[in-house]
Amino acid sequence: MTISDKIDASLCNLFIWVAVRQIFQSHPKLHVSLLWNLLAAVTILGQARPNSKQKLQSNSGLQSDCAGNLMRLSLDKALAVGNQLEVEALNGTKQIVLTPSLAAQCGYSMESDPWGNTRLYTSLMACYVDNKDDTTFNIGLRLKMYSQSPSDVVSHDVMQACSYTRWASREILCDRNFMEVSNYIATPDAEAKGQTREDNSKMNTIPEASGAAHGIWKMTFYTPEPVSMVLKEAEQAGYGAMMTSNRLVMRSPYNTAETYSEDVAGVPMEVFRVSAYYKAPHGLNVMNLAAACPTGGVLFTEAVISWHVPRRVTPLIDGAFKIIEMHMGINGQRLDKSQMATLGYTLSTTDFHIVIEIPVGSPDGYYKSHAPDYQYHITYSVEPMLEVLWRADNTQDDTRYKVLFPITTPLMPRPPHYQDNTVPEDRMFSVHVGTFIHDVELRNITFSTGVLTVDESNARGCTVQEHSFPNGTKSFSLKVPFDADVVLKHNPEPLVTNYFLPLVFGFIILPEETPFAHPVDIQASLEDVVLPTVTGNCDDNLFYVSVTYGNQGSNFETMVGPRQLTADLAESYRFNENGTHFSLIVPYTAKDMAFELLTSDSVRARLDMLLYDPINNWVLADLYLACNFPLTTTTCYSNGTITALAVKVESVPNLIPSWLTLRDQSCKPTFSDDRFAYFSFSADSCGTTRTFFDNYMLYENEIGLYYNNKQNHNKQNHNKGAAYTSPIDPDYKQTISCYYVVNDTQSVAFIHKPRNNEPAAEIGSGQLMVQMMLSHDSSYKLFYQADDFPVVSYLRQPLYFEVALMQSSDPQLELTLENCWATLHEDRMSLPSWDIIVDNCENHDDGYVTLFHAVVSDSRITVPSHVKRFSIKMFTFTQDEAVLRDEIYVHCDAVICDVNSRADGACGGQCVQTAGMSTSRHQGIKGVKREQRSTDSKHHRRLSSGPILLLNNGSKL
């Protein structure tokens, strides 16, 4: 079959050429079958379409020019994208479809980037080129664009005339899909003059081996073993061979059976060697031809591509030679030195190589994104050209060596980075993700609630923007309000909110639509929690409480007293809620209220409310509201009947009201529950006493808790599992008094003068702090707090004091009580006063002897020498048999001593005076002002207790 037969047969076949890149470096010979490289399977269709309508269009978007021994045609992506492309060679009135194999055999090649920008190269020695004496070359191509509809075809005809006269004796062209060599044919002048142009032009159609008077007869290929073929066999094997008026041309695709690989100076090369036998007027001639084209030799760094070509291509050079010209180019076009310098290109030589260096990212190439294993990578592609002219020594024969060499870097990982630009005070997440090259698009974002497209994200208030940069890269930004439903929240502290925004950005690479993703987790903390608040007030019977929600809403639990506020309890407390707050109205007699203090005409009740976070067990807000409510506890009737109401107060938590009795323990409550005991008795029963005065009679009784009585109850109820108070629990005593006056009756239960100001203890100043506290009992485990004063005590009831050096662990220091005394007023120097401790010792003139108590180490006290304890019995001041006041204050002067130095008498230890020495300086109410003590502020401390209230006004000192 001749070439003409092959062309006719090719019209009956459909060829689909799929865009494939990056294969030439590892498998360069595959270019024979993978020639046309267009975006998204832009194809060449070789099947005739008899029903299609052809429309000739202008050549807008097409540009052709001549580049030495090549014609170059550029096709803009606007023409190729979305279309199928068919290329035909125009030869007179014939149109020959260029299939991949025919293109490699005839000297045509094509390169396309992924976006459809396409370049077609045609050798001036290609088939179907109108060759005029090897000086003028007319090339005709027809480009057919098939859109979605097969019947709709747009055609573009390109005619380009090129003139080229600088032929070397030997021209070698290495293109992407073929190797071509042409040698000058030397003929005698006489024979040359007898040749006609008509005969020469006909040879350019690759004549049959037996049909040309002066054509190619056969060829011997060296693989390197010799293999002989006649012209027809060589054409069937894919080789091209022809003769022009002055040159013999041989062409071979890569990776054929008759080519071989050879390592030249460390660079792999594809070698094509053949001896061509051709007929000439004077007989049969033979010509040796060879081509060697590099298939490797590229080194890569992140910044530079280095292409190494052997300086001495040994398959082409036998002896000494000299390089006459050396040029670098891009995309088949030469560059001058100034252009190379501007772009940063270099062309240099070493002993063994010619080296071209190209910066990665130069504008003559392009970047492409990839996502192997869904990880973002990029490559950079560029097509340099090397053109070298050398001459063998002792001859005028020269060789022009031209290589077009597409290069693509290996995959370079470019994991996306994100920048968190969030300013928490703006309450807006702001994140940038990048950078990417221009073929990456953001397709969707996965939030905690699901996947949203970019448009959906913007519609939901999550602002997505694309940012382009001058260097051709891009990034994407996302802004999400803290309050968006896609944001997760957590409170590590009561006032702090941690905001979390987990994201997965979903990208695609165009035009292949290859997906990849990048996860990003950002968080921000902000002290933005507004806690709920509780306020309240009282009237004569009720507590009114209002709870205002914070910015976390009603996300908390409520405790009222010891119980959680359930729906049933809220209903009983008249719960009302309106979305921003809720309110309660609570009777002071409710079970959850605490009674603090009972007076003759009122009871002080307290409402405790706690708002807490049940997950973290945080207290968010609390309210301790205490109010005095009118309450008559004793009623005296004119017929002698007396009624009394006893109330369980907070200071006796284990009290069971039913255990209370009058002095006569057989007189029990007529009614009782867990909080109240009600007594009704006559004035001449239950141990009531009577006292006569000038104008009135006084009847008195006492409600109390007697241990013998409790023990009897215990014996009677030991099987009932009831809890009972122990002898160390506080006694409960409530005095009942009725004054009967002529024609008048009144009742009192306590004699008490309400305080006007909160008591305040005087604290010594300096580097060391000393504190005086009043204990509930001799165990010194539980102490009265500032809010507990005035403390109520009975006459002769012990008062237990503790004075301690605070915030010091130095065992070389000792605390000593120098003087302690009692006054009626808060002023420590006021009169009258009574000495309790004088010169480190108890006052032996006092009928109620002061007792010192030993101090030992325990979990609270680590240095016993820092603590002093003493007790006195409760008393009151009288004058002329009258009680001056029902309150006393206790004051002390304390000295901090160095245990290693006893020079100061005050530091000689507690109680150092000699026996028989008077211990009282200013006793009674002699009206003498206590001396102002001169103390060193570095060692002495002055302390005072809060007021201590006497419960029984009838007692005297």
Side-chain angles (χ1 to χ4, degrees):
M1 180 182 291
T2 65
I3 291 293
S4 299
D5 294 331
K6 291 172 62 179
I7 294 172
D8 293 337
S10 66
L11 294 174
C12 300
N13 298 309
L14 173 65
F15 298 91
I16 301 177
W17 296 1
V18 182
V20 176
R21 305 197 70 258
Q22 299 181 338
I23 299 180
F24 70 93
Q25 288 177 298
S26 56
H27 303 286
K29 295 181 181 180
L30 294 180
H31 282 196
V32 174
S33 60
L34 301 175
L35 175 63
W36 312 105
N37 192 4
L38 286 176
L39 173 65
V42 173
T43 58
I44 295 179
L45 303 178
Q47 184 176 8
R49 301 177 185 245
N51 297 325
S52 63
K53 294 177 62 179
Q54 296 190 17
K55 301 177 183 178
L56 289 176
Q57 296 282 333
S58 66
N59 289 346
S60 175
L62 295 173
Q63 182 177 357
S64 60
D65 59 357
C66 303
N69 57 1
L70 291 169
M71 190 277 286
R72 182 176 61 174
L73 173 63
S74 298
L75 174 66
D76 188 84
K77 64 181 179 181
L79 296 176
V81 172
N83 295 318
Q84 295 175 328
L85 174 64
E86 178 182 275
V87 181
E88 296 177 346
L90 301 180
N91 184 19
T93 59
K94 291 184 178 181
Q95 299 88 37
I96 302 92
V97 176
L98 295 175
T99 66
S101 59
L102 183 60
Q105 185 177 17
C106 284
Y108 297 87
S109 70
M110 183 165 65
E111 164 70 4
S112 175
D113 66 21
W115 301 278
N117 298 297
T118 305
R119 289 185 301 274
L120 292 90
Y121 295 95
T122 303
S123 170
L124 298 186
M125 291 294 172
C127 310
Y128 321 117
V129 173
D130 183 14
N131 183 344
K132 303 295 184 182
D133 295 328
D134 293 335
T135 58
T136 303
F137 306 87
N138 296 306
I139 301 105
L141 295 174
R142 173 169 292 172
L143 307 180
K144 292 184 177 181
M145 305 291 182
Y146 293 89
S147 61
Q148 299 291 339
S149 173
S151 62
D152 189 8
V153 182
V154 177
S155 296
H156 299 270
D157 286 353
V158 178
M159 305 300 297
Q160 179 68 45
C162 293
S163 176
Y164 185 69
T165 59
R166 299 177 63 251
W167 293 103
S169 301
R170 178 172 57 172
E171 296 260 346
I172 298 172
L173 174 63
C174 299
D175 207 335
R176 67 187 62 254
N177 61 323
F178 65 86
M179 300 178 287
E180 178 184 282
V181 56
S182 68
N183 282 18
Y184 178 74
I185 301 175
T187 58
D189 292 341
E191 292 179 358
K193 292 178 182 179
Q195 295 175 357
T196 64
R197 182 174 299 179
E198 180 179 355
D199 293 336
N200 292 339
S201 63
K202 291 180 180 179
M203 289 185 181
N204 211 16
T205 61
I206 313 182
E208 296 180 13
S210 59
H214 307 291
I216 299 172
W217 169 48
K218 73 170 184 175
M219 290 160 276
T220 299
F221 297 89
Y222 299 94
T223 63
E225 299 300 325
V227 176
S228 296
M229 300 181 189
V230 296
L231 178 61
K232 182 177 180 179
E233 294 172 331
E235 290 174 344
Q236 290 176 340
Y239 299 101
M242 67 176 65
M243 293 181 65
T244 69
S245 59
N246 299 301
R247 308 187 72 80
L248 191 151
V249 182
M250 294 293 299
R251 191 178 298 109
S252 170
Y254 289 92
N255 200 30
T256 65
E258 284 71 41
T259 62
Y260 63 93
S261 298
E262 181 176 336
D263 186 285
V264 180
V267 176
M269 303 194 79
E270 188 83 1
V271 181
F272 166 55
R273 296 180 62 192
V274 63
S275 295
Y277 297 84
Y278 62 95
K279 296 176 182 178
H282 59 277
L284 185 64
N285 285 352
V286 61
M287 179 179 291
N288 296 321
L289 302 100
C293 296
T295 58
V298 183
L299 300 177
F300 301 96
T301 68
E302 283 286 323
V304 177
I305 298 172
S306 300
W307 176 32
H308 295 71
V309 178
R311 183 171 182 174
R312 181 186 182 90
V313 185
T314 52
L316 306 179
I317 302 174
D318 294 329
F321 72 101
K322 180 181 180 181
I323 294 178
I324 300 173
E325 295 180 11
M326 187 169 61
H327 303 279
M328 174 196 172
I330 292 291
N331 299 330
Q333 186 68 45
R334 280 188 188 181
L335 300 176
D336 58 31
K337 291 183 178 180
S338 63
Q339 291 173 314
M340 292 173 58
T342 300
L343 296 169
Y345 301 153
T346 61
L347 174 63
S348 61
T349 59
T350 66
D351 292 340
F352 301 100
H353 297 98
I354 300 171
V355 182
I356 290 177
E357 290 188 336
I358 300 173
V360 174
S362 69
D364 291 318
Y366 61 87
Y367 282 105
K368 183 71 183 76
S369 297
H370 308 270
D373 297 326
Y374 302 102
Q375 302 300 310
Y376 185 58
H377 294 70
I378 62 171
T379 58
Y380 174 74
S381 298
V382 67
E383 187 177 15
M385 180 192 74
L386 174 65
E387 184 177 336
V388 182
L389 181 67
W390 71 73
R391 181 174 298 163
D393 289 353
N394 303 319
T395 179
Q396 293 299 314
D397 294 337
D398 51 16
T399 299
R400 188 179 305 280
Y401 185 67
K402 188 173 186 176
V403 183
L404 304 178
F405 197 76
I407 298 173
T408 297
T409 65
L411 289 170
M412 296 180 286
R414 291 293 185 272
H417 297 281
Y418 77 91
Q419 181 176 349
D420 185 0
N421 298 323
T422 303
V423 178
E425 289 72 20
D426 295 340
R427 300 188 62 79
M428 179 79 70
F429 281 113
S430 177
V431 60
H432 255 81
V433 180
T435 56
F436 307 96
I437 59 177
H438 60 89
D439 59 350
V440 173
E441 294 292 338
L442 179 60
R443 176 60 57 88
N444 55 49
I445 303 174
T446 301
F447 296 96
S448 60
T449 56
V451 181
L452 298 178
T453 65
V454 172
D455 290 340
E456 290 171 340
S457 298
N458 285 314
R460 293 275 294 272
C462 304
T463 305
V464 182
Q465 290 183 313
E466 178 180 310
H467 306 271
S468 299
F469 304 104
N471 63 357
T473 61
K474 66 168 65 171
S475 68
F476 300 92
S477 67
L478 172 67
K479 291 185 177 181
V480 180
F482 281 4
D483 297 329
D485 60 351
V486 299
V487 177
L488 305 178
K489 303 177 181 67
H490 170 64
N491 295 104
E493 301 175 28
L495 296 176
V496 176
T497 304
N498 281 354
Y499 297 90
F500 300 90
L501 183 62
L503 303 166
V504 179
F505 289 90
F507 301 97
I508 60 166
I509 299 172
L510 299 176
E512 304 88 353
E513 296 197 358
T514 303
F516 69 97
H518 184 66
V520 172
D521 291 325
I522 54 177
Q523 63 177 348
S525 295
L526 190 60
E527 190 172 319
D528 61 350
V529 176
V530 178
L531 297 178
T533 57
V534 188
T535 58
N537 55 68
C538 313
D539 61 12
D540 287 346
N541 295 290
L542 301 170
F543 289 101
Y544 298 89
V545 181
S546 177
V547 176
T548 302
Y549 300 151
N551 60 0
Q552 305 295 304
S554 57
N555 189 25
F556 57 82
E557 296 291 342
T558 303
M559 296 289 294
V560 179
R563 292 195 294 172
Q564 184 170 326
L565 184 65
T566 62
D568 292 340
L569 186 60
E571 183 178 359
S572 67
Y573 288 162
R574 298 160 65 178
F575 176 87
N576 185 34
E577 198 266 347
N578 69 353
T580 61
H581 71 279
F582 74 81
S583 62
L584 299 175
I585 300 177
V586 184
Y588 81 91
T589 56
K591 182 179 179 179
D592 300 312
M593 303 304 101
F595 295 135
E596 293 184 340
L597 182 65
L598 186 66
T599 68
S600 61
D601 59 356
S602 68
V603 62
R604 186 164 69 190
R606 189 182 73 247
L607 179 147
D608 298 341
M609 181 173 285
L610 187 71
L611 310 182
Y612 70 97
D613 179 346
I615 298 176
N616 301 293
N617 201 27
W618 292 331
V619 175
L620 305 179
D622 55 29
L623 174 67
Y624 301 94
L625 178 61
C627 296
N628 291 319
F629 296 93
L631 179 66
T632 301
T633 58
T634 302
T635 304
C636 304
Y637 295 95
S638 58
N639 63 357
T641 300
I642 301 174
T643 61
L645 181 67
V647 179
K648 179 181 178 180
V649 292
E650 192 177 32
S651 60
V652 191
N654 294 328
L655 174 67
I656 298 177
S658 62
W659 290 354
L660 294 172
T661 67
L662 297 175
R663 284 176 181 160
D664 183 349
Q665 296 181 23
S666 64
C667 294
K668 299 178 181 179
T670 57
F671 165 80
S672 67
D673 58 16
D674 59 347
R675 310 191 72 194
F676 298 97
Y678 180 78
F679 294 86
S680 179
F681 58 97
S682 63
D684 58 353
S685 65
C686 296
T688 305
T689 62
R690 181 178 60 185
T691 304
F692 289 92
F693 295 93
D694 292 339
N695 57 346
Y696 61 88
M697 288 186 302
L698 172 63
Y699 289 88
E700 286 187 317
N701 207 321
E702 193 175 73
I703 300 174
L705 184 64
Y706 300 94
Y707 293 120
N708 291 336
N709 187 36
K710 287 187 288 184
Q711 292 171 0
N712 293 334
H713 277 283
N714 192 9
K715 291 178 182 178
Q716 297 170 6
N717 302 300
H718 69 280
N719 293 326
K720 297 182 181 179
Y724 302 95
T725 57
S726 66
I728 63 172
D729 286 333
D731 284 337
Y732 184 95
K733 292 186 183 294
Q734 179 177 336
T735 301
I736 303 170
S737 300
C738 281
Y739 293 87
Y740 284 87
V741 185
V742 177
N743 298 327
D744 190 19
T745 300
Q746 61 178 353
S747 62
V748 293
F750 293 89
I751 301 175
H752 168 67
K753 182 178 181 181
R755 65 184 179 194
N756 296 323
N757 300 300
E758 291 293 329
E762 182 179 344
I763 303 297
S765 62
Q767 296 180 349
L768 297 175
M769 183 177 73
V770 178
Q771 184 178 28
M772 182 165 67
M773 297 182 293
L774 178 60
S775 174
H776 282 254
D777 51 41
S778 61
S779 67
Y780 288 94
K781 298 293 186 182
L782 183 63
F783 295 88
Y784 291 101
Q785 305 300 314
D787 290 343
D788 297 329
F789 286 91
V791 173
V792 178
S793 181
Y794 298 101
L795 188 65
R796 299 185 183 87
Q797 180 181 346
L799 300 175
Y800 297 94
F801 291 91
E802 178 180 283
V803 183
L805 174 61
M806 309 300 291
Q807 301 176 353
S808 174
S809 59
D810 187 354
Q812 303 301 316
L813 297 180
E814 181 178 3
L815 179 72
T816 300
L817 297 179
E818 185 178 17
N819 295 284
C820 293
W821 65 97
T823 65
L824 284 176
H825 303 283
E826 191 173 355
D827 183 1
R828 66 200 322 265
M829 300 308 297
S830 64
L831 291 177
S833 67
W834 185 261
D835 287 331
I836 299 172
I837 296 174
V838 180
D839 294 332
N840 301 24
C841 293
E842 61 269 26
N843 180 9
H844 292 289
D845 293 339
D846 189 353
Y848 301 155
V849 179
T850 301
L851 296 179
F852 288 103
H853 298 270
V855 181
V856 295
S857 299
D858 57 22
S859 60
R860 187 173 63 86
I861 298 174
T862 57
V863 184
S865 64
H866 289 184
V867 180
K868 288 295 181 288
R869 291 170 175 169
F870 68 92
S871 64
I872 63 173
K873 292 184 177 180
M874 181 61 185
F875 63 89
T876 184
F877 287 90
T878 63
Q879 185 174 19
D880 298 331
E881 302 300 326
V883 175
L884 294 178
R885 198 178 183 193
D886 55 5
E887 288 181 349
I888 65 170
Y889 292 82
V890 177
H891 315 275
C892 284
D893 285 341
V895 183
I896 301 171
C897 301
D898 183 350
V899 298
N900 298 316
S901 175
R902 297 294 185 177
D904 187 352
C907 291
Q910 205 68 54
C911 193
V912 296
Q913 80 278 5
T914 59
M917 181 181 294
S918 175
T919 60
S920 179
R921 291 187 176 182
H922 306 289
Q923 301 177 9
I925 56 169
K926 298 178 180 180
V928 180
K929 185 74 172 179
R930 290 187 62 88
E931 296 177 358
Q932 178 69 38
R933 300 178 183 270
S934 176
T935 60
D936 183 350
S937 63
K938 294 182 180 179
H939 303 286
H940 289 73
R941 297 293 181 268
R942 298 176 178 179
L943 307 106
S944 298
S945 74
I948 303 171
L949 179 67
L950 178 66
L951 191 62
N952 188 350
N953 262 15
S955 300
K956 301 179 182 179
L957 181 63

